[in-house]
Amino acid sequence: MTPTTLVTGGAGFLGSHLCDRLLKDGQEVLCVDNFYTGRKDNIRHLLAHPRFELIRHDVWLPLYVEVDRIFNLACPASPIHYQNDPIATTKTSVLGAINMLGLAKRRKARILQASTSEVYGDPQRHPQPESYWGHVNTIGPRACYDEGKRCAETLCFDYYRQAKVDIRVIRIFNTYGPRMHPNDGRVVSNFIMQALKGEPITLYGDGQQTRSFCYVDDLIEGMVRMMNQDTEIGPMNLGNPEEFTIRELAETVLRLTGSKSELVFRPLPQDDPMQRQPDITKAKAVLDWTPKVALEDGLKETITYFRKVVSQ
């Protein structure tokens, strides 16, 4: 019997790529999205697929469906979007986790919770292993997302301990690629859109803060491997450990796009982390997973996608 997999946030950047992969693997896919940040264009090519179904729904409301596995990806993931309605962001993370864990409990389904590197906050340990508890401002403007995701992790492990729910928890580090929202405010999409439009490229602080960028195909492979294995519940870091300064990223985008945009500097936002790099020792050992796509190669694919967006 073909398994049915629920993907919440399935019309989003990551969710749509995951739906593609699960269909390719022969699964029935139930995609749930409220289209707050997800876009129908991301899944338009799937709407006629015989094993794909779309439901418009907010995960902070209960959902009664018959599924075998759940990927809970629903939540705005960029600062512009999650700070626009911080209460809704917290509700999506916390009530969404409660509802999806409750569904997993009822269905005896395995659930993978998409957590985030933001649970580490502005880290005082570098790189960040899963054992690090983080350095997070609980009342700052980013807390709706950071604390929402931390609470979702707590709920997963309490449902695991108390109700024996079959959980998997991953912590996603900066991911980029085609289908990113062009106005999501994240650094890769920002730089590419500004470069293609000939606008100044905006760097915050001195541009020396670092990030580690994982191409979407690599991340989806790690997510699927995490869901399919039976030995580790997590949390599990998934990201590319290669570290780049934000200025290096900007200069690479300028070179690959051929843009003449200038670099401009703005004050650093509150609680913006200075360093972010995953320790993926556990993922290498348990999942036999390591990112394969180099930053420059992934940026070329992403730039190609955004050229089409700009020309529309």
Side-chain angles (χ1 to χ4, degrees), residues 178 192 196 298-309:
I192 294 175
L196 293 177
L299 285 175
K300 288 176 182 176
E301 294 294 323
T302 311
I303 289 166
T304 298
Y305 170 79
F306 278 114
R307 282 193 194 280
K308 295 175 184 175
V309 171

Side-chain angles (χ1 to χ4, degrees), residues 16-34:
S16 62
H17 283 280
L18 179 60
C19 289
D20 283 341
R21 170 61 185 271
L22 297 174
L23 290 169
K24 182 181 176 183
D25 290 348
Q27 299 185 36
E28 301 266 356
V29 175
L30 179 58
C31 169
V32 169
D33 207 295
N34 68 352

Side-chain angles (χ1 to χ4, degrees), residues 35-104:
F35 295 100
Y36 178 64
T37 57
R39 293 179 295 163
K40 193 166 282 189
D41 280 347
N42 289 342
I43 53 165
R44 195 173 301 279
H45 63 292
L46 301 177
L47 294 177
H49 195 291
R51 286 185 278 104
F52 181 82
E53 184 178 354
L54 171 65
I55 297 178
R56 189 173 193 135
H57 182 81
D58 281 315
V59 293
W60 67 55
L61 302 172
L63 180 65
Y64 301 102
V65 290
E66 306 306 305
V67 294
D68 305 297
R69 287 188 168 186
I70 303 165
F71 285 86
N72 187 27
L73 276 60
C75 190
S78 71
I80 283 179
H81 291 148
Y82 69 63
Q83 292 176 13
N84 182 56
D85 190 342
I87 295 171
T89 297
T90 303
K91 288 170 69 176
T92 299
S93 290
V94 178
L95 297 179
I98 289 171
N99 287 328
M100 291 304 108
L101 287 160
L103 176 61

